[in-house]
Amino acid sequence: MLLRKKVCAALIVAILFLMLASHSIQRRHFLPLSLTLPIIQATPTNWERTCGCIESCISDFGGSNWFQQRYDKTQEPVLRTNSIMDPDALKWWLVHLQQSGNDRTPEDVMAEMFKVIPSPTVDFRPLTSRCHTCAVVGNSGRLRQSGNGKIIDSHDSVIRMNKAVTRGFAKDVGNRTTHHFLYPESAVDVDHGVSLVLLPFKLRDIEWLTSALSTGKVKMTYMRVKDRVAADKNKILVVNPVFFKYVNDHWTERHGRYPSTGMLAIIFALHICDQVSVFGYGADEQGNWHHYWEENRYAGAFRKTGVHSAEFETQIIHNLAKEGKIRLYL
């Protein structure tokens, strides 16, 4: 009986010794929980997302170093009365894009414009209470017979550009438009409730917008242009000239003289939307484009991108899809 008690006591001592030894090893080889938390937080979780989307948000950086190196969330994509513009970026915009030989200062031209249209009050910052989806619809002939119309129209915002048409093509391109990107040489009337988004490739383009909404006196840029345009003044947006240089430096990396309308529209969408789908983009190996509404693709339908690098821009678009930042429909 005495022997049995001694054996039990010895076993208890051995178990206590092993427990203490194990605890000592853990203290030596594992960091305290409070120190390991930053490592866990490096991978975004649902409650850390900047928007209300179930899958992902564009403004979430997790998982793509390539995207982090290019995307600058501090950029202001639209011009406002209180916009602070970097002088070097503004100079680049005035000199490097389409010079208009204008002697007026940008400040004077912009101040005159904001007498005709109000400064935008829309807030593009993401909210955890919503998931703002956007479709950016290009004009490539690839849209013909695509059957993507319903998918396009299902997005919260639908961005179209230049002389895009929907009548007769709704099955493939949809019929909703919330934002229409254009410049004087590609101007069309915009339906009430749609945001006309001006891409000012030169100072003269801002003068044209002011005139087209008021006096109609500007009838020429480097070519004859539409002297008046129908649009909802309260919804007009003008892309910030500084944004052009941001896209040129960070995204197209100075390939071509400056970015194309299509490229600017996609990067613009990355800054105002939580999720972006892209439709109707594509060029041939010569950088030519075929518009989906043109019947004969050889009779003026192909347009050389010229000052743009179609090949490099296509590569960027495919990289955005590969990194999970856009959904690309080909």
Side-chain angles (χ1 to χ4, degrees), residues 3 51 60 69 111 152 174 209:
L3 179 61
C51 75
D60 292 340
Q69 292 168 4
I152 290 171
L209 179 65

Side-chain angles (χ1 to χ4, degrees), residues 137-145 159-170 172-174 180-181 183 185-188 261 279-281 289-303:
V137 187
N139 294 329
S140 171
R142 291 184 176 186
L143 280 169
R144 295 286 287 266
Q145 308 302 318
I159 298 171
R160 303 187 192 273
M161 58 202 76
N162 297 334
K163 296 185 181 294
V165 295
T166 58
R167 182 173 296 177
F169 301 96
D172 296 325
V173 307
H180 197 122
F181 278 66
Y183 46 91
E185 297 80 15
S186 71
V188 294
T261 299
F279 304 81
Y281 276 64
W289 293 80
H290 169 219
H291 297 147
Y292 63 82
W293 61 84
E294 294 171 319
E295 291 297 333
N296 185 353
R297 66 191 184 97
Y298 296 108
F302 271 43
R303 303 284 189 268

Side-chain angles (χ1 to χ4, degrees), residues 40-293:
I40 295 172
Q41 290 177 338
T43 303
T45 59
N46 288 341
W47 59 268
E48 291 171 320
R49 286 183 182 151
T50 54
C51 75
C53 300
I54 296 175
E55 296 177 5
S56 64
C57 309
I58 288 171
S59 51
D60 292 340
F61 276 159
S64 177
N65 291 329
W66 179 87
F67 185 76
Q68 289 184 48
Q69 292 168 4
R70 289 161 176 78
Y71 186 84
D72 179 4
K73 63 174 62 179
T74 66
Q75 287 290 320
E76 295 184 8
V78 301
L79 195 61
R80 306 175 193 265
T81 52
N82 61 350
S83 293
I84 300 175
M85 289 183 284
D86 176 71
D88 292 334
L90 185 60
K91 181 179 180 181
W92 177 88
W93 175 74
L94 287 168
V95 174
H96 199 74
L97 272 69
Q98 300 175 9
Q99 298 183 42
S100 56
N102 200 318
D103 293 331
R104 301 179 64 191
T105 66
E107 292 78 10
D108 288 343
V109 172
M110 294 174 191
E112 183 179 352
M113 177 188 69
F114 282 123
K115 292 178 182 178
V116 175
I117 63 171
S119 179
T121 58
V122 59
D123 189 350
F124 296 121
R125 288 175 295 184
L127 298 173
T128 55
S129 59
R130 71 176 183 184
C131 178
H132 183 197
T133 62
C134 297
V136 181
V137 187
N139 294 329
S140 171
R142 291 184 176 186
L143 280 169
R144 295 286 287 266
Q145 308 302 318
S146 68
N148 284 330
K150 288 184 178 180
I151 300 175
I152 290 171
D153 283 346
S154 69
H155 292 75
D156 297 318
S157 294
V158 179
I159 298 171
R160 303 187 192 273
M161 58 202 76
N162 297 334
K163 296 185 181 294
V165 295
T166 58
R167 182 173 296 177
F169 301 96
K171 182 179 178 181
D172 296 325
V173 307
N175 54 28
R176 290 184 59 242
T177 305
T178 60
H179 299 75
H180 197 122
F181 278 66
L182 54 79
Y183 46 91
E185 297 80 15
S186 71
V188 294
D189 291 335
V190 175
D191 292 338
H192 184 78
V194 175
S195 288
L196 183 159
V197 184
L198 176 70
L199 284 170
F201 287 101
K202 51 189 176 296
L203 191 59
R204 182 66 166 173
D205 293 351
I206 298 179
E207 287 184 318
W208 166 83
L209 179 65
T210 304
S211 171
L213 295 169
S214 56
T215 64
K217 67 180 181 181
V218 175
K219 305 178 187 298
M220 289 285 298
T221 56
Y222 57 78
M223 61 178 282
R224 182 84 179 183
V225 294
K226 188 176 173 67
D227 58 1
R228 291 185 184 274
V229 65
D232 189 339
K233 290 183 181 181
N234 293 323
K235 296 186 73 68
I236 288 177
L237 303 173
V238 178
V239 176
N240 194 330
V242 173
F243 195 77
F244 283 77
K245 191 168 194 306
Y246 158 64
V247 177
N248 182 72
D249 292 351
H250 287 236
W251 293 98
T252 57
E253 299 176 25
R254 303 182 182 89
H255 287 77
R257 274 183 56 198
Y258 51 85
S260 68
T261 299
M263 193 68 201
L264 287 162
I266 290 177
I267 306 304
F268 183 93
L270 293 179
H271 283 267
I272 72 165
C273 311
D274 298 322
Q275 291 185 344
V276 173
S277 301
V278 175
F279 304 81
Y281 276 64
D284 66 12
E285 60 274 13
Q286 282 80 40
N288 297 320
W289 293 80
H290 169 219
H291 297 147
Y292 63 82
W293 61 84

